[in-house]
Structure formats: C-alpha cells, structure tokens
Amino acid sequence: MANPAGLPADGVLDLLGLLAYASLTAFFRISDDAALAISLTDKTALAELAVAEFGHFQLLKGRIEELSADPTTVMQPFVAAIDAFHARTAPSDWLEGLVKAYVGDGIAADFYRAVAQVLDPATQGLVQTVLADTGKTEFVVARVREATEADPRLAGRLALWARRLVGEALGQAQRVAADREPLARLLVGGTSSQLGDIGRMFAQLTDAHAARMAALGLAN
Amino acid sequence: MANPAGLPADGVLDLLGLLAYASLTAFFRISDDAALAISLTDKTALAELAVAEFGHFQLLKGRIEELSADPTTVMQPFVAAIDAFHARTAPSDWLEGLVKAYVGDGIAADFYRAVAQVLDPATQGLVQTVLADTGKTEFVVARVREATEADPRLAGRLALWARRLVGEALGQAQRVAADREPLARLLVGGTSSQLGDIGRMFAQLTDAHAARMAALGLAN
C-alpha cells in the first residue's frame, strides 16, 4: 500500500530488484532456449520474447535508479533463488522451452497484476507498462497443440514439465517470501506477512496457471 | 548502384539476407557471451548490444518483406558461412567475448558504410538507420585496457584472438563472394565482380580493424 505521500512503501525496492533480476535472467534463458528452435520463424518469435524481457529489465532498472538505489545491490538478494529456479528447469528440448516461456510469461503477468494494487502510483504505472507488454506468447499455444496432436504421448510429458515448472517457481517464491519480510508484507497488502496470505496469493496464481494449461491442451 | 527507377538492384536481396542473418546470429551469440560476464553491469552492457542486433535484424527483415520476399529463404544462402564463422570463433572467456563484440561491431559498421553507396534510396536509408545504432561498444575499450594493464600477457593472447576473428571473417566472406555472384557485383559498385575489387574492399576493412586494435591497446 502506498504511504500517504505516494512514496514507495517498504519492500518496493525489494520487489523492483526481484522483478528486474527475473527479467534479466528471463532474457538470457529465453535467448538460450531460442537456439533450440529448428525454424528461423520460431527462433525469431522466441528471440522477440527475450528482447521484451530485456525491455522490462531496463524499465525496472530505471525505476530503481530513480529511487537513488544501485540496481546490482537491489537485485542481489534474489540472485540465488532465481538462478536456482533456472538451474532446476533447463528445458531439454524446444517444446519444453516453449512451454516454459508460456508458463513463465503467464505467471509473471498474474503476479504483476496482483502486486499492482499495493504499489505507489509511479511504481504502479511502471508495472502497468510492463504488463501491457506481456502476452506475446500466444503463438506457443498453436505450436504446442500441433506437436501434441502429431504425437499424443507428448502431452503427458509436457503436462508433467509444466507442473514441475510451477512447483519449482513456488518453492523459490516461498524461500524469497520467508527471507524478505518487508517484501512479503508488501505483497499481502501492507498489513501482515502471514504465510497463509502469501499462500492464498500463490493459490490464485496456480488457478490461473491451470487455465493456461487447459489452453495448451495439457492436463494440469 | 541503384537502377534508374530507384528499385533495388540485383544482389540487394542477397545483401539484406546476409545482413539479417548476421544480425540475428549476433543477437544469439552476444547474449550467450554475456553470460560469461562476472558483474551485472558488464552483463547488461553486452545484453544491450545483443538487443541492438535484434533490432537491426527486425529492420532488415521488414525491408525483405517489403520487397515481397520471404526472410527465411533470403537468409538461407548465408546460414552455412555465418554459422561456420561463429563455430570457429567461440570465445573461451569474457575478454575474448568482449573483443569479439567490439571487432564484429566495428567491421559491421565499416561494411554498412561501404555498401551504403551502392544501394537504392530505401535500402540506403535502412542501412543508415542501422549504422546510427552501432558504435555502442566503446565500453569495451576501457574494459580491455584495464585487463591488459593488470596482466600484460593478456595483450598478446587477445591480439592473436582478434587476428583470428578477422581471418575467419574474411575467409567466410570470400566464400560468400565466390558463391553469390550478384551480391559480389553489387558490392564492387555494380560494375564487375573481380575478386581483386572485393579484395580491395576487404583491405579497407582490415585497415580500419588495425585502427581499432590500436584503440584497444593491442598490437595488430
């Protein structure tokens, strides 16, 4: 919740650092995964997503600098959790990379929407800008559906993969919430940081995830 | 040389395909190499270069589409040579990656400047736009100078590396010029495709390269 002067609440720098490092890492991981694409069209589509993530990073970094903070310092507390997430979820092929990009983009958008409500106006505006730039992953739906129609056994493997992605993401998110008290408090509306509240927020994210899995034609 | 109607000369699609695939590949290779950076500042600086390359790719791809051609088809003849160049010049550390980005950006800029003169106005405008967006590698000069001052033996290794980069690039360029007659003719001003003329163009590029090596504090 913004304080009366509209200045960032405690925890906002943490949030910006988390989002900035997540975007920067997404840029590198999606670029890497794009290399797995066979066609130049697919490669380009995934590269565009990577570049969008870098744009988000630059916006978030700019806001951190506006708040007279050092981006590297502000991102540092989240490096271990985000790196661990990616180390545990390296796609073994192109389709796993596509599903990861789609799931990641979707969860990120839900998270941005959820946190926007508790932010000061300037940070909220930034979050809305980033949000307007998500949802570029609709091409993934067609690609995954084509692949699972051609080989129905793929659907089971990709559904399992998507579940693992969300499990790993929530595991790291719990770790971050436990470590960073002001951030956790901010995320539940500035009133408390009960793990139950964080849990409810996560439950909303996983509900939306289930809807995305259905869109992909994958059982959740 | 543009034909009287200002329409693209023969070979221009080849040139656009070559530049588009080179930019797309540079995006992927520089993103990869950025992962070798230790500090987030350096990582970000190299990621910015990668993103700029992707922007060039999008401009070039757009122009290919304007000419009613399919970008994948137009890029295809250059995939083998450009992929071979990168396979032979994978940096073994961060400094080699930096030098590669600097040398590559410099040679690309010289090449854009050289070809701009022989193009139709629309393609020329595009090349000027791309050109205005190069030269973001000045930070490399400071980084390489710091490193070689701290450890003078590095200078010899990096100078050798830079020579290898140019050698490999010219080798692949000769291969492309020999394979693609209309492109080679275009590059020497639309009048002939004598290998001697191509050779003179390459000589200009290597002269400019020597100046860049001096800026880096590396013997050529």
Side-chain angles (χ1 to χ4, degrees):
Chain A
M1 202 162 288
N3 62 35
L7 291 172
D10 227 31
V12 164
L13 265 182
D14 259 13
L15 179 67
L16 292 170
L18 167 67
L19 296 175
Y21 191 69
S23 304
L24 181 65
T25 314
F27 164 74
F28 284 115
R29 294 278 65 78
I30 300 175
S31 303
D32 257 23
D33 297 345
L36 298 168
I38 298 155
S39 81
L40 276 170
T41 309
D42 284 349
K43 212 176 265 221
T44 306
L46 217 49
E48 271 172 26
L49 277 185
V51 169
E53 291 290 347
F54 192 74
H56 304 167
F57 164 71
Q58 284 180 309
L59 285 171
L60 292 157
K61 179 170 165 266
R63 179 72 185 137
I64 293 169
E65 286 164 347
E66 266 174 32
L67 296 172
S68 307
D70 170 55
T72 302
T73 310
V74 172
M75 292 192 285
Q76 201 55 52
F78 308 103
V79 167
I82 292 171
D83 285 359
F85 169 74
H86 287 291
R88 286 158 178 271
T89 59
S92 66
D93 63 18
W94 162 241
L95 282 170
E96 288 190 2
L98 272 187
V99 170
K100 185 173 172 182
Y102 183 76
V103 166
D105 188 64
I107 290 186
D110 290 342
F111 183 73
Y112 277 104
R113 255 185 294 270
V115 299
Q117 312 161 27
V118 299
L119 294 171
D120 58 286
T123 313
Q124 195 173 52
L126 170 71
V127 163
Q128 301 289 6
T129 306
V130 171
L131 200 49
D133 191 49
T134 60
K136 290 182 171 168
T137 48
E138 282 313 306
F139 76 99
V140 172
V141 174
R143 281 288 179 288
V144 171
R145 283 187 169 270
E146 275 162 32
T148 54
E149 272 156 32
D151 178 0
R153 288 166 310 171
L154 270 177
R157 174 161 73 83
L158 292 177
L160 197 67
W161 167 245
R163 264 205 297 283
R164 246 193 67 205
L165 290 172
V166 174
E168 294 287 353
L170 292 184
Q172 298 301 335
Q174 293 278 9
R175 175 177 161 185
V176 165
D179 276 2
R180 308 295 295 180
E181 176 68 19
L183 174 61
R185 207 159 40 223
L186 173 75
L187 295 184
V188 294
T191 53
S192 76
S193 71
Q194 301 300 312
L195 278 182
D197 291 335
I198 294 282
R200 270 187 289 282
M201 185 186 190
F202 288 172
Q204 288 170 4
L205 296 184
T206 51
D207 285 351
H209 172 71
R212 276 188 296 272
M213 288 302 95
L216 287 178
L218 302 179
N220 193 47
Chain B
M1 204 163 287
N3 61 37
L7 290 172
D10 228 32
V12 164
L13 265 182
D14 259 12
L15 178 68
L16 291 170
L18 166 67
L19 296 176
Y21 190 70
S23 303
L24 182 64
T25 313
F27 164 74
F28 284 116
R29 295 278 64 78
I30 299 174
S31 302
D32 257 23
D33 297 345
L36 298 168
I38 298 155
S39 81
L40 277 169
T41 309
D42 283 350
K43 212 176 266 219
T44 307
L46 218 48
E48 271 172 26
L49 277 186
V51 169
E53 291 290 349
F54 192 73
H56 304 166
F57 164 71
Q58 284 181 309
L59 285 171
L60 292 156
K61 178 170 166 267
R63 178 74 186 137
I64 293 168
E65 285 164 347
E66 266 172 32
L67 296 172
S68 306
D70 170 54
T72 302
T73 310
V74 173
M75 291 192 285
Q76 201 55 53
F78 309 102
V79 168
I82 291 171
D83 285 358
F85 169 73
H86 287 291
R88 287 158 179 272
T89 58
S92 67
D93 63 18
W94 163 240
L95 283 170
E96 288 190 2
L98 272 187
V99 169
K100 184 174 172 181
Y102 183 75
V103 166
D105 188 65
I107 290 186
D110 289 342
F111 183 73
Y112 277 105
R113 255 185 294 270
V115 297
Q117 312 160 26
V118 299
L119 294 171
D120 58 285
T123 312
Q124 194 173 55
L126 170 70
V127 162
Q128 301 290 5
T129 306
V130 172
L131 200 49
D133 192 49
T134 59
K136 290 181 170 170
T137 47
E138 283 312 307
F139 75 98
V140 172
V141 174
R143 281 288 179 288
V144 171
R145 283 188 170 268
E146 274 162 34
T148 53
E149 272 157 30
D151 178 1
R153 288 166 310 173
L154 270 177
R157 174 161 74 82
L158 292 177
L160 198 65
W161 167 247
R163 263 204 299 281
R164 246 194 68 207
L165 291 172
V166 175
E168 294 287 353
L170 292 184
Q172 298 301 333
Q174 294 276 11
R175 175 176 161 187
V176 165
D179 276 3
R180 309 296 294 180
E181 176 68 18
L183 174 61
R185 207 159 40 224
L186 174 73
L187 295 184
V188 294
T191 52
S192 77
S193 70
Q194 301 300 312
L195 278 183
D197 290 335
I198 294 282
R200 269 188 290 284
M201 185 186 190
F202 287 172
Q204 286 169 6
L205 295 184
T206 51
D207 284 351
H209 171 71
R212 276 188 295 274
M213 287 301 94
L216 287 178
L218 303 179
N220 193 47

